[in-house]
Amino acid sequence: QYYGAKHGLFKLVYEKPSRRVLGVHVVSRGASDIVGSLAAALGLGATVDDLAAVHHVYPSFSEGLKAAAEQAV
């Protein structure tokens, strides 16, 4: 749980053949904490496999990103 938040949404939009991430929707308290790193990942052409492989500190908001990426893998 991040800052006591019980609800939120991470949605990855990606191209199926290449698995390249095209966009990310983040709706939750503290969403701005992760936007910069997501912008960098998208700019570098990250795939859902790349995002799923990244280690995220526990407990943290970025774990939601890993969970979303793992569902796509």
Side-chain angles (χ1 to χ4, degrees), residues 6-50:
K6 295 183 187 200
H7 303 286
L9 169 79
F10 273 92
K11 179 179 178 183
L12 298 176
V13 179
Y14 65 98
E15 181 181 56
K16 256 191 171 175
S18 69
R19 304 181 63 76
R20 188 172 74 96
V21 179
L22 303 175
V24 181
H25 301 235
V26 182
V27 180
S28 185
R29 252 173 103 181
S32 61
D33 293 349
I34 197 167
V35 170
S37 58
L38 289 173
L42 268 66
L44 293 170
T47 66
V48 290
D49 302 293
D50 295 331

Side-chain angles (χ1 to χ4, degrees), residues 1 8-10 21 34 39 41 43 46-47 51 57-58 62 71:
Q1 239 177 342
L9 169 79
F10 273 92
V21 179
I34 197 167
T47 66
L51 295 181
V57 178
Y58 174 82
S62 63
Q71 286 183 18

